[in-house]
PDB file of all heavy atoms in Angstrom:
ATOM      1  N   VAL A  82      -2.423  -3.330  56.042  1.00 96.00           N
ATOM      2  CA  VAL A  82      -1.270  -3.757  55.154  1.00 96.00           C
ATOM      3  C   VAL A  82      -1.710  -4.954  54.316  1.00 96.00           C
ATOM      4  O   VAL A  82      -1.464  -4.968  53.124  1.00 96.00           O
ATOM      5  CB  VAL A  82      -0.017  -4.158  56.076  1.00 96.00           C
ATOM      6  CG1 VAL A  82       1.083  -4.668  55.196  1.00 96.00           C
ATOM      7  CG2 VAL A  82       0.429  -2.995  56.923  1.00 96.00           C
ATOM      8  N   VAL A  83      -2.330  -5.980  54.947  1.00 97.00           N
ATOM      9  CA  VAL A  83      -2.719  -7.181  54.258  1.00 97.00           C
ATOM     10  C   VAL A  83      -3.867  -6.770  53.248  1.00 97.00           C
ATOM     11  O   VAL A  83      -3.793  -7.221  52.094  1.00 97.00           O
ATOM     12  CB  VAL A  83      -3.227  -8.203  55.207  1.00 97.00           C
ATOM     13  CG1 VAL A  83      -3.912  -9.336  54.492  1.00 97.00           C
ATOM     14  CG2 VAL A  83      -2.058  -8.717  56.075  1.00 97.00           C
ATOM     15  N   ALA A  84      -4.785  -5.987  53.638  1.00 97.00           N
ATOM     16  CA  ALA A  84      -5.851  -5.577  52.763  1.00 97.00           C
ATOM     17  C   ALA A  84      -5.282  -4.927  51.545  1.00 97.00           C
ATOM     18  O   ALA A  84      -5.726  -5.119  50.399  1.00 97.00           O
ATOM     19  CB  ALA A  84      -6.856  -4.586  53.521  1.00 97.00           C
ATOM     20  N   ARG A  85      -4.233  -4.088  51.776  1.00 96.00           N
ATOM     21  CA  ARG A  85      -3.607  -3.370  50.724  1.00 96.00           C
ATOM     22  C   ARG A  85      -2.950  -4.324  49.729  1.00 96.00           C
ATOM     23  O   ARG A  85      -3.132  -4.183  48.549  1.00 96.00           O
ATOM     24  CB  ARG A  85      -2.631  -2.494  51.354  1.00 96.00           C
ATOM     25  CG  ARG A  85      -1.952  -1.554  50.381  1.00 96.00           C
ATOM     26  CD  ARG A  85      -0.965  -0.591  51.163  1.00 96.00           C
ATOM     27  NE  ARG A  85      -0.198   0.079  50.210  1.00 96.00           N
ATOM     28  CZ  ARG A  85      -0.716   0.943  49.427  1.00 96.00           C
ATOM     29  NH1 ARG A  85      -2.023   1.233  49.420  1.00 96.00           N
ATOM     30  NH2 ARG A  85       0.022   1.541  48.491  1.00 96.00           N
ATOM     31  N   GLU A  86      -2.181  -5.267  50.238  1.00 97.00           N
ATOM     32  CA  GLU A  86      -1.552  -6.210  49.380  1.00 97.00           C
ATOM     33  C   GLU A  86      -2.550  -7.109  48.612  1.00 97.00           C
ATOM     34  O   GLU A  86      -2.322  -7.413  47.510  1.00 97.00           O
ATOM     35  CB  GLU A  86      -0.573  -7.139  50.235  1.00 97.00           C
ATOM     36  CG  GLU A  86       0.819  -6.646  50.186  1.00 97.00           C
ATOM     37  CD  GLU A  86       1.796  -7.623  50.804  1.00 97.00           C
ATOM     38  OE1 GLU A  86       1.702  -8.860  50.494  1.00 97.00           O
ATOM     39  OE2 GLU A  86       2.671  -7.220  51.594  1.00 97.00           O
ATOM     40  N   THR A  87      -3.589  -7.357  49.271  1.00 97.00           N
ATOM     41  CA  THR A  87      -4.701  -8.046  48.546  1.00 97.00           C
ATOM     42  C   THR A  87      -5.099  -7.368  47.318  1.00 97.00           C
ATOM     43  O   THR A  87      -5.132  -7.970  46.237  1.00 97.00           O
ATOM     44  CB  THR A  87      -5.893  -8.252  49.490  1.00 97.00           C
ATOM     45  OG1 THR A  87      -5.563  -9.013  50.608  1.00 97.00           O
ATOM     46  CG2 THR A  87      -7.090  -8.821  48.779  1.00 97.00           C
ATOM     47  N   LEU A  88      -5.381  -6.096  47.469  1.00 97.00           N
ATOM     48  CA  LEU A  88      -5.794  -5.267  46.302  1.00 97.00           C
ATOM     49  C   LEU A  88      -4.698  -5.202  45.286  1.00 97.00           C
ATOM     50  O   LEU A  88      -4.941  -5.225  44.047  1.00 97.00           O
ATOM     51  CB  LEU A  88      -6.195  -3.885  46.757  1.00 97.00           C
ATOM     52  CG  LEU A  88      -7.514  -3.879  47.553  1.00 97.00           C
ATOM     53  CD1 LEU A  88      -7.789  -2.452  48.048  1.00 97.00           C
ATOM     54  CD2 LEU A  88      -8.655  -4.292  46.632  1.00 97.00           C
ATOM     55  N   LYS A  89      -3.442  -5.106  45.706  1.00 97.00           N
ATOM     56  CA  LYS A  89      -2.316  -5.130  44.757  1.00 97.00           C
ATOM     57  C   LYS A  89      -2.253  -6.412  43.929  1.00 97.00           C
ATOM     58  O   LYS A  89      -2.010  -6.351  42.719  1.00 97.00           O
ATOM     59  CB  LYS A  89      -1.039  -4.845  45.470  1.00 97.00           C
ATOM     60  CG  LYS A  89      -0.878  -3.416  45.918  1.00 97.00           C
ATOM     61  CD  LYS A  89      -1.085  -2.517  44.715  1.00 97.00           C
ATOM     62  CE  LYS A  89      -1.236  -1.023  45.086  1.00 97.00           C
ATOM     63  NZ  LYS A  89       0.096  -0.317  45.165  1.00 97.00           N
ATOM     64  N   ILE A  90      -2.486  -7.518  44.595  1.00 97.00           N
ATOM     65  CA  ILE A  90      -2.505  -8.759  43.868  1.00 97.00           C
ATOM     66  C   ILE A  90      -3.571  -8.752  42.818  1.00 97.00           C
ATOM     67  O   ILE A  90      -3.316  -9.124  41.672  1.00 97.00           O
ATOM     68  CB  ILE A  90      -2.682  -9.976  44.901  1.00 97.00           C
ATOM     69  CG1 ILE A  90      -1.487 -10.052  45.800  1.00 97.00           C
ATOM     70  CG2 ILE A  90      -2.998 -11.222  44.184  1.00 97.00           C
ATOM     71  CD1 ILE A  90      -1.702 -11.091  46.932  1.00 97.00           C
ATOM     72  N   LEU A  91      -4.842  -8.374  43.227  1.00 97.00           N
ATOM     73  CA  LEU A  91      -5.926  -8.411  42.285  1.00 97.00           C
ATOM     74  C   LEU A  91      -5.680  -7.387  41.129  1.00 97.00           C
ATOM     75  O   LEU A  91      -6.021  -7.635  39.975  1.00 97.00           O
ATOM     76  CB  LEU A  91      -7.192  -8.031  43.039  1.00 97.00           C
ATOM     77  CG  LEU A  91      -7.755  -9.092  44.034  1.00 97.00           C
ATOM     78  CD1 LEU A  91      -8.978  -8.648  44.694  1.00 97.00           C
ATOM     79  CD2 LEU A  91      -7.860 -10.410  43.312  1.00 97.00           C
ATOM     80  N   ALA A  92      -4.985  -6.347  41.481  1.00 96.00           N
ATOM     81  CA  ALA A  92      -4.628  -5.378  40.383  1.00 96.00           C
ATOM     82  C   ALA A  92      -3.647  -5.952  39.381  1.00 96.00           C
ATOM     83  O   ALA A  92      -3.726  -5.775  38.253  1.00 96.00           O
ATOM     84  CB  ALA A  92      -4.052  -4.071  41.019  1.00 96.00           C
ATOM     85  N   SER A  93      -2.721  -6.767  39.908  1.00 96.00           N
ATOM     86  CA  SER A  93      -1.719  -7.382  39.053  1.00 96.00           C
ATOM     87  C   SER A  93      -2.319  -8.442  38.117  1.00 96.00           C
ATOM     88  O   SER A  93      -1.850  -8.763  37.106  1.00 96.00           O
ATOM     89  CB  SER A  93      -0.571  -7.968  39.876  1.00 96.00           C
ATOM     90  OG  SER A  93      -0.942  -9.293  40.330  1.00 96.00           O
ATOM     91  N   LEU A  94      -3.495  -8.898  38.511  1.00 96.00           N
ATOM     92  CA  LEU A  94      -4.310  -9.904  37.717  1.00 96.00           C
ATOM     93  C   LEU A  94      -5.300  -9.153  36.832  1.00 96.00           C
ATOM     94  O   LEU A  94      -6.031  -9.856  36.127  1.00 96.00           O
ATOM     95  CB  LEU A  94      -4.916 -10.882  38.597  1.00 96.00           C
ATOM     96  CG  LEU A  94      -4.013 -11.742  39.467  1.00 96.00           C
ATOM     97  CD1 LEU A  94      -4.846 -12.626  40.442  1.00 96.00           C
ATOM     98  CD2 LEU A  94      -3.118 -12.612  38.604  1.00 96.00           C
ATOM     99  N   ASP A  95      -5.256  -7.864  36.797  1.00 95.00           N
ATOM    100  CA  ASP A  95      -6.203  -7.060  36.056  1.00 95.00           C
ATOM    101  C   ASP A  95      -7.658  -7.284  36.495  1.00 95.00           C
ATOM    102  O   ASP A  95      -8.553  -7.198  35.685  1.00 95.00           O
ATOM    103  CB  ASP A  95      -6.024  -7.349  34.594  1.00 95.00           C
ATOM    104  CG  ASP A  95      -4.818  -6.637  33.990  1.00 95.00           C
ATOM    105  OD1 ASP A  95      -4.278  -5.792  34.713  1.00 95.00           O
ATOM    106  OD2 ASP A  95      -4.496  -6.925  32.862  1.00 95.00           O
ATOM    107  N   VAL A  96      -7.804  -7.734  37.733  1.00 96.00           N
ATOM    108  CA  VAL A  96      -9.208  -7.955  38.294  1.00 96.00           C
ATOM    109  C   VAL A  96      -9.729  -6.588  38.729  1.00 96.00           C
ATOM    110  O   VAL A  96     -10.969  -6.384  38.591  1.00 96.00           O
ATOM    111  CB  VAL A  96      -9.151  -8.957  39.381  1.00 96.00           C
ATOM    112  CG1 VAL A  96     -10.505  -9.039  40.063  1.00 96.00           C
ATOM    113  CG2 VAL A  96      -8.764 -10.339  38.873  1.00 96.00           C
TER     114      VAL A  96
END
Side-chain angles (χ1 to χ4, degrees):
Chain A
V82 179
V83 170
R85 188 177 168 65
E86 263 190 44
T87 296
L88 288 175
K89 284 308 170 85
I90 290 172
L91 293 180
S93 82
L94 298 174
D95 286 346
V96 170

